[in-house]
Amino acid sequence: MKDFANGKYIKIVFWIMFILLSLLFAFLCLYKLGEGPIQDWDEARHGVSAYEMIRNNEWVVTTYGNAIDYWNLKPPLSEWVIAFGYYVFGFTPFGMRIYSAIAMISAALLCSIFLHRCCGKLSALFALLCFSGTGPLLFTHCARTADADSLYILFYTAAVVMLCHYCRKGDASLYCSCLAFSFAFLTKSWHAGCIGILILAYLIFSKRLFQFTVINWMLCIASAFGPIMLWAVARMTKDGTAFFEGMLEYDLLKRSSVALEGHVGGVGYYVEFLWSYRIFVILAILAAFAAPLLMDKAKKDMIYVLSLSILIPLVIFSLASTKLNWYILCIFPSLILLASLGVNEIVRGSRKYIIGLLSISVPIFLLLLCIRSNVKAVINTELGESIANAVFTMASRTEEFSGKRIYKYVIDSGERWEQSEFLSMELAGDLLPANGGIEMWKADESAYLITRLESVSQLDVENEIVSEEGTYCIVMHK
């Protein structure tokens, strides 16, 4: 069996399995990616800001409704990649979300390739299986949405993997880890502090920091802060220090000391959240089996790094007052890496290879159940009926709508635009959503109104329906 496992046939089997498992995870990330409803708040606001960057040709200052956005106090890297998605795949929810899916697929492949090089084929394949079974990395705020978290998780994972590589080789991968910190900051701002603490903690713990030369210091500082400073200087030329004051006062100090926007929770909030997922329990138990590697001089530092990359965000965000589930999602790739190492130790410690494989059959079965649940959730993704979804059929980016104001009159949802609706108007028709409802529309003869078909007869203004979809329609003055 060992001869077979080390022979050329197992290499062929490995690459076949690697491709199949990669395609499975790609399917979970990409299938019906554009069909889920656009989420209000973060996803919609990122989408609006990216669209207005293109329309206004303004790539430094983020806007919402063509006004400078001081609510989203994050640097604009996620908006830049969304804009690139719009250019390549069109002004659609798919074009908006594709970068998140690609980022998560990249994180999975990065982990698998790293494990293949340092531990072997089994760990590499198991990691891909774990990614497909980890629902939190797929749905809310992650791979299947246009939030910044998926991109941040990629950079967080890259920083961890590069630091693990530095543990083993002591090469220039440390600077790659520092560069990942920089890009993570440009994505999620202060969240990247977890990476900085991780790198600094390891360098102090390993005493490598005290062996740094001037060149080492210069390269670390340049890679960690160079891209950030380039953006910061460009931003300050636009509106001075206003944005940075908001970043510091609101997004860091207030968010860490006060439960903002009703996002409350105790110190045990994230432990309870994680423990509610079966996949977390599976991974945590398997990760414990990696403990023997602490006795391996070549790999013990890697175990320390992976453990710290889980504990640091867990402790920091547990102590912060504002609690949101997706703040802690960055620990899952590190947990998957540890669990994969644990599985490798279980099999390696068995007398026979086949017995080792049988001993991990139970966790594999449980993972398959998690994957089955994720596949069902992806397949059952539906648009549903809403203004945000209907407008993509009604407007279709025709010239008659481009640059025109549009008002909203829907009795059961008010006259103000929800953020998902605001984004849909911009993407679907290059329309300019305006508040004020039916009264403002009556006074604005060049504008459009979106309403329900049943409400058209109640408008008390001569009008004609220019487009309709489901129960919604767009009307104009006659």
Side-chain angles (χ1 to χ4, degrees), residues 34-112:
E35 295 187 22
I38 296 172
Q39 301 299 311
D40 287 323
W41 296 103
D42 291 6
E43 180 179 44
R45 293 189 76 94
H46 281 300
V48 169
S49 295
Y51 181 78
E52 292 179 358
M53 277 183 169
I54 297 173
R55 184 168 63 189
N56 302 328
N57 196 30
E58 173 54 73
W59 298 95
V60 177
V61 177
T62 50
T63 62
Y64 183 85
N66 297 300
I68 296 178
D69 188 4
Y70 289 114
W71 182 86
N72 176 23
L73 294 165
K74 303 288 192 296
L77 184 56
S78 60
E79 282 84 1
W80 292 343
V81 291
I82 290 174
F84 182 74
Y86 286 153
Y87 272 125
V88 177
F89 297 98
F91 296 102
T92 64
F94 181 88
M96 176 178 67
R97 293 169 176 159
I98 184 64
Y99 89 95
S100 276
I102 292 174
M104 193 58 68
I105 293 169
S106 300
L109 293 175
L110 178 62
C111 289
S112 183

Side-chain angles (χ1 to χ4, degrees), residues 330-346:
C330 61
I331 74 168
F332 272 102
S334 295
L335 189 58
I336 288 171
L337 287 168
L338 271 179
S340 301
L341 291 171
V343 164
N344 191 65
E345 284 301 294
I346 293 172

Side-chain angles (χ1 to χ4, degrees), residues 262-437:
H263 301 303
V264 298
V267 175
Y269 176 88
Y270 290 112
V271 174
E272 294 175 8
F273 164 71
L274 293 169
W275 201 253
S276 67
Y277 283 95
R278 177 168 56 189
I279 184 65
F280 173 79
V281 178
I282 297 169
L283 294 174
I285 292 172
L286 291 174
F289 286 94
L293 291 174
L294 291 171
M295 301 295 105
D296 186 334
K297 290 184 179 180
K299 294 180 179 177
K300 67 175 183 178
D301 279 13
M302 182 171 67
I303 302 301
Y304 288 136
V305 167
L306 291 174
S307 299
L308 284 173
S309 69
I310 294 170
L311 291 174
I312 289 171
L314 189 58
V315 171
I316 288 176
F317 292 122
S318 292
L319 293 176
S321 296
T322 302
K323 300 290 197 300
L324 287 164
N325 295 345
W326 46 88
Y327 283 3
I328 205 69
L329 296 181
C330 61
I331 74 168
F332 272 102
S334 295
L335 189 58
I336 288 171
L337 287 168
L338 271 179
S340 301
L341 291 171
V343 164
N344 191 65
E345 284 301 294
I346 293 172
V347 175
R348 195 168 67 91
S350 302
R351 292 182 179 180
K352 293 185 178 181
Y353 192 77
I354 190 67
I355 294 175
L357 291 177
L358 289 173
S359 64
I360 61 171
S361 59
V362 173
I364 288 177
F365 174 73
L366 294 175
L367 274 173
L368 291 175
L369 291 180
C370 293
I371 293 172
R372 178 175 176 270
S373 176
N374 293 338
V375 169
K376 287 177 65 177
V378 167
I379 291 175
N380 292 331
T381 299
E382 294 182 355
L383 280 173
E385 185 181 58
S386 67
I387 289 177
N389 298 327
V391 72
F392 282 98
T393 300
M394 290 190 287
S396 300
R397 297 196 69 81
T398 54
E399 287 296 324
E400 65 175 308
F401 294 118
S402 182
K404 299 294 182 63
R405 285 181 298 279
I406 185 168
Y407 297 87
K408 171 188 172 186
Y409 175 62
V410 179
I411 294 175
D412 56 359
S413 66
E415 297 182 335
R416 292 189 63 84
W417 295 100
E418 298 293 339
Q419 291 162 339
S420 56
E421 298 167 349
F422 195 102
L423 171 63
S424 298
M425 296 300 137
E426 290 192 327
L427 293 185
D430 193 32
L431 288 156
L432 302 175
N435 289 315

Side-chain angles (χ1 to χ4, degrees), residues 204-252:
I204 293 173
F205 167 79
S206 65
K207 299 181 180 179
R208 295 191 181 192
L209 183 69
F210 310 110
Q211 301 168 9
F212 270 25
T213 64
V214 174
I215 297 297
N216 293 142
W217 279 108
M218 290 176 63
L219 289 174
C220 280
I221 293 171
S223 53
F225 299 104
I228 297 173
M229 292 306 298
L230 289 174
W231 163 75
V233 170
R235 178 73 202 223
M236 289 183 70
T237 62
K238 297 288 185 175
D239 57 351
T241 61
F243 186 83
F244 299 97
E245 290 171 6
M247 281 181 68
L248 181 62
E249 295 173 8
Y250 185 86
D251 213 33
L252 177 62

